Amino acid sequence: MDKSIKIFIASDHGGFELKGKIIKHLSDSGYNVEDMGCSSIDSVDYPLYGKKVSEKVADGEGVGILICGTGIGMSITANRYSDVRAALCMNGYMAKMSKMHNNANVLVLGARVLGEGLAFDIVDTWLSTEFEGGRHQKRLDMLE
Ligand code: RB5
């Protein structure tokens, strides 16, 4: 992905530590990342943070990464927005397919089910894979 495209990232308390590691990983790689919270491991409500990123992505301002404990709450939140295609990915294959076939514009991670190395691999794979278009675009059009 073009490194000038903004990456909005947010988590709840369950994803806070992994969020910090991913922000450093992406910043070190030259990506333009904006942290939209939360700001500590104190308990917060994931919809508040999922909505912040989803609104930016739905407005066409960039792509998103959302992290909670399992990734499930953030996925449910983000996919309520009609212009958001959020993909909860557990491995590099899912990350690759979520971009090639689904053109996911939000990547969702579960911090309590992924190690740091696997999470970095998922993020890197998602960012470096391109949408295939063609029959997959037709299917995305059918969602509208
Ligand atoms: C918080 O305990 C947890 O419920 C949240 O991080 C997430 O896993 C929800 O889906």
Side-chain angles (χ1 to χ4, degrees):
M1 187 181 80
D2 180 344
K3 289 187 176 171
S4 66
I5 294 173
K6 190 84 159 274
I7 302 172
F8 297 96
I9 186 167
S11 74
D12 71 354
H13 53 290
F16 175 73
E17 287 187 12
L18 181 60
K19 172 168 67 78
K21 290 173 183 171
I22 289 175
I23 290 171
K24 180 173 185 328
H25 177 70
L26 292 177
S27 299
D28 288 350
S29 301
Y31 285 101
N32 182 6
V33 190
E34 182 171 331
D35 184 358
M36 306 198 75
C38 64
S39 55
S40 78
I41 56 167
D42 294 342
S43 182
V44 293
D45 301 316
Y46 63 79
L48 298 177
Y49 296 93
K51 286 179 175 182
K52 285 182 189 217
V53 166
S54 299
E55 281 165 15
K56 291 287 188 185
V57 175
D59 287 346
E61 294 187 41
V63 299
I65 297 177
L66 289 170
I67 314 167
C68 62
T70 58
I72 296 170
M74 286 296 197
S75 298
I76 292 169
T77 303
N79 280 313
R80 291 176 71 99
Y81 291 76
S82 60
D83 290 326
V84 170
R85 294 174 302 280
L88 172 56
C89 296
M90 305 292 294
N91 52 53
Y93 180 75
M94 292 178 77
K96 188 175 169 183
M97 289 301 132
S98 79
K99 190 64 84 63
M100 285 174 69
H101 288 191
N102 311 109
N103 201 17
N105 51 14
V106 172
L107 173 66
V108 187
L109 302 172
R112 293 176 181 158
V113 293
L114 296 174
E116 174 185 320
L118 182 53
F120 287 177
D121 180 58
I122 292 168
V123 169
D124 291 344
T125 301
W126 183 68
L127 288 172
S128 63
T129 303
E130 298 293 330
F131 179 46
E132 278 186 350
R135 69 186 188 281
H136 302 295
Q137 182 60 54
K138 186 192 86 173
R139 291 165 186 161
L140 293 182
D141 293 342
M142 291 171 73
L143 297 171
E144 302 304 324

